[in-house]
Amino acid sequence: MITFPLRQLCLGVKHSALALALFTSNLSLADSTAIVNARLYTATTADVSVGSVLFEDGIITEVSDQPLTADHVIDAEGKIVTPGFIGSLNHLGLLEVNAVSESDDSTVEEGDLSFSPVTAFNPESSAIPLARIGGVTRNIVTPGAGTKAFAGVAGNVDLTGDLTLPSSAASAAVVYLWGDQESSRARRLGKIRAALQDRRDNVAKSEADNASEAETAKKATEKEATQNTDNESNSQAGADKQPETKTEDAHSVVESVVERHLDELLAGTLPLLAFCDRPADILQLLALKEEFGLKLIIAGGDGAVAVKEQLAEAQVAVILDALNDLPKSFDNLHASLNNAATLHQAGVTVALAVLSDATHALYQLRFGAGNAIANGLPKDAALAAISQVPAQLFGIQAGSIEKGQSADLVLWENDPFDYTGKASTMWINGEEQSLETRADKLRDRYTQPSKLPPAYVK
């Protein structure tokens, strides 16, 4: 048997305890970061003040008009800090090249509420760094239009580029009511209504059946209690009775997912995100909302200005592209650069998105906000329309500079709503992010001096 002197054992224990204490203290005391002397565009108020924001463990812990101390202090030198912008209505991370079908995971022809394209989200997509340079830190990825009434469900992703699994929680159920779809809008609306009505009826019937079974079981128990039964025979009967086993096939699993999302729609906990432009179709959706108590969000919504009073009364938000100014079809006859301002003035909640090639042009989200400002939308409303409003619509803990929110922040060299604006530093969940794109890497690669002929430079 090997033995050690008592003194060595004591020293070893002492050193181990010291190392453990240092290790645990490092775990419990995470580094904090303060951005001071910044012009804070908080998205919670129209006021812009010079102040500080402190974050730790990925969460904003304090916002103050006074300098704050932290493990790391960054002097913004009076520059603008905004919350990270939130994109939506696109296939970012699901589509790499439009013309290459194998790089497109956004759409299935026979889609339904069991289809969640976020499970195919690729955080290494080259389009993600491009979105980051536009100040976008999070995104709602949506399924493309298929042939079924429901295209699928949207999902929320951050744009860190980290190889981690995105949340599987659905952010919205998605439907398309555009004129270029294969089937009539009337048929699609009918299918949506039928699916909701069938589920509501089935739930009501199931609840009635359960109540009836419970009452029957109660009466049987009371009757059995009044009778003098043979315990031995009862025990034998119980032993002979085999428990039922239930197996679920793939079809039943899909059905259970669909039913769960229908229940969430009917409960108002899952929004119905409806791509729709014509005023008449928007009125049909408002009637559907009233009938089933839905949380409705209109996407696209060029014709929303024609029914703005009804939208405001129903408290239905509209996500639109502020740069849509010309009719692209008979659905878009109301397209105009001042639509965002008109809806805002009418009391409609407005969010902004990029609808034209949004997967690769999401960095232009701030340009749409800038054009909306130029056409009458107040600056604070434009900021909220690409940060706080989408966060609230889709249940994201981000989109504003306030205590308790995710530390998604962007430090700008100058006005983010101007074409000359440039993001200098970005944090997502409190972690600093790269603002280098594939285009930057290619530029650096092919502008390096070399003694070799150009054809040999890689």
Side-chain angles (χ1 to χ4, degrees), residues 177-181 185 275-279 281-282 301-304 327-335:
L177 291 177
W178 282 341
D180 59 357
Q181 304 307 123
R185 275 175 274 234
F275 284 80
C276 175
D277 285 309
R278 288 197 321 182
D281 299 331
I282 294 175
D302 282 340
K328 299 175 184 177
S329 71
F330 288 108
D331 282 16
N332 309 104
L333 298 179
H334 293 272

Side-chain angles (χ1 to χ4, degrees), residues 21 27 101 107 143 204 207 220 227 242 290 342 345 350 403 420:
L27 286 179
S101 59
T107 308
E207 289 175 350
Q227 294 176 345
Q242 297 297 321
E290 180 68 22
T342 301
Q345 290 165 5
V350 175
K403 185 176 180 179
T420 62

Side-chain angles (χ1 to χ4, degrees), residues 318-396:
V318 178
I319 306 176
L320 53 84
D321 189 335
L323 293 178
N324 279 1
D325 63 338
L326 292 173
K328 299 175 184 177
S329 71
F330 288 108
D331 282 16
N332 309 104
L333 298 179
H334 293 272
S336 172
L337 290 175
N338 60 16
N339 277 358
T342 301
L343 290 171
H344 175 74
Q345 290 165 5
V348 178
T349 299
V350 175
L352 299 178
V354 179
L355 291 179
S356 179
D357 192 24
T359 301
H360 303 97
L362 185 54
Y363 68 93
Q364 297 179 7
L365 181 63
R366 65 188 182 95
F367 301 154
N371 275 270
I373 294 168
N375 287 275
L377 186 65
K379 193 169 185 177
D380 61 306
L383 173 62
I386 58 175
S387 56
Q388 186 186 47
V389 172
Q392 292 175 343
L393 292 178
F394 297 108
I396 304 171

Side-chain angles (χ1 to χ4, degrees), residues 59-391:
I59 301 295
I60 296 173
T61 56
E62 188 175 356
V63 181
S64 174
D65 59 359
Q66 300 296 320
L68 297 172
T69 59
D71 297 316
H72 304 285
V73 177
I74 299 168
D75 186 355
E77 299 178 339
K79 296 174 183 176
I80 296 170
V81 173
T82 68
F85 303 150
I86 299 175
S88 61
L89 315 186
N90 60 66
H91 308 320
L92 183 68
L94 305 177
L95 171 65
E96 196 68 24
V97 180
N98 291 338
V100 181
S101 59
E102 59 262 33
S103 73
D104 185 358
D105 291 301
S106 65
T107 308
V108 290
E109 207 162 311
E110 297 292 317
D112 56 27
L113 288 176
S114 67
F115 175 53
S116 177
V118 74
T119 56
F121 177 73
N122 177 22
E124 294 184 306
S125 169
S126 62
I128 289 176
L130 196 60
R132 285 202 299 260
I133 67 170
V136 182
T137 56
R138 293 181 188 270
N139 187 53
I140 300 296
V141 293
T142 52
T147 58
K148 295 288 188 72
F150 290 96
V153 294
N156 163 38
V157 296
D158 66 44
L159 303 191
T160 60
D162 294 341
L163 286 170
T164 56
L165 292 177
S167 170
S168 60
S171 298
V174 181
V175 298
Y176 287 83
L177 291 177
W178 282 341
D180 59 357
Q181 304 307 123
E182 292 183 5
S183 62
S184 165
R185 275 175 274 234
R187 181 170 180 79
R188 284 177 175 260
L189 271 169
K191 286 184 175 181
I192 296 168
R193 176 175 279 105
L196 292 168
Q197 186 63 57
D198 286 349
R199 182 56 187 163
R200 186 161 70 177
D201 291 346
N202 288 338
V203 169
K205 183 178 182 301
S206 177
E207 289 175 350
D209 290 345
N210 289 340
S212 177
E213 289 176 5
E215 183 64 24
T216 301
K218 180 181 178 182
K219 291 180 179 179
T221 301
E222 291 173 349
K223 181 178 180 181
E224 184 178 343
T226 60
Q227 294 176 345
N228 184 15
T229 57
D230 187 345
N231 291 335
E232 183 177 350
S233 62
N234 284 342
S235 299
Q236 184 62 41
D240 293 340
K241 187 176 180 180
Q242 297 297 321
E244 294 184 9
T245 58
K246 293 184 179 180
T247 58
E248 285 191 323
D249 56 18
H251 179 71
S252 64
V253 171
V254 169
E255 278 191 341
S256 67
V257 173
V258 171
E259 289 172 354
R260 173 164 54 84
H261 289 322
L262 286 171
D263 289 342
E264 292 168 342
L265 280 169
L266 292 168
T269 57
L270 181 68
L272 178 67
L273 180 64
F275 284 80
C276 175
D277 285 309
R278 288 197 321 182
D281 299 331
I282 294 175
L283 290 178
Q284 290 287 350
L285 288 166
L286 290 177
L288 196 71
K289 165 189 163 56
E290 180 68 22
E291 182 179 355
F292 294 100
L294 305 175
K295 179 183 178 182
L296 176 64
I297 303 170
I298 301 297
D302 282 340
V305 290
V307 289
K308 57 183 182 294
E309 291 85 4
Q310 294 93 321
L311 287 165
E313 183 180 357
Q315 297 183 337
V316 171
V318 178
I319 306 176
L320 53 84
D321 189 335
L323 293 178
N324 279 1
D325 63 338
L326 292 173
K328 299 175 184 177
S329 71
F330 288 108
D331 282 16
N332 309 104
L333 298 179
H334 293 272
S336 172
L337 290 175
N338 60 16
N339 277 358
T342 301
L343 290 171
H344 175 74
Q345 290 165 5
V348 178
T349 299
V350 175
L352 299 178
V354 179
L355 291 179
S356 179
D357 192 24
T359 301
H360 303 97
L362 185 54
Y363 68 93
Q364 297 179 7
L365 181 63
R366 65 188 182 95
F367 301 154
N371 275 270
I373 294 168
N375 287 275
L377 186 65
K379 193 169 185 177
D380 61 306
L383 173 62
I386 58 175
S387 56
Q388 186 186 47
V389 172

Side-chain angles (χ1 to χ4, degrees), residues 37-41 48-51 76 78-82 379 401:
N37 191 25
R39 293 172 61 199
L40 299 179
Y41 286 27
V48 177
S49 60
V50 176
K79 296 174 183 176
I80 296 170
V81 173
T82 68
K379 193 169 185 177
I401 302 179

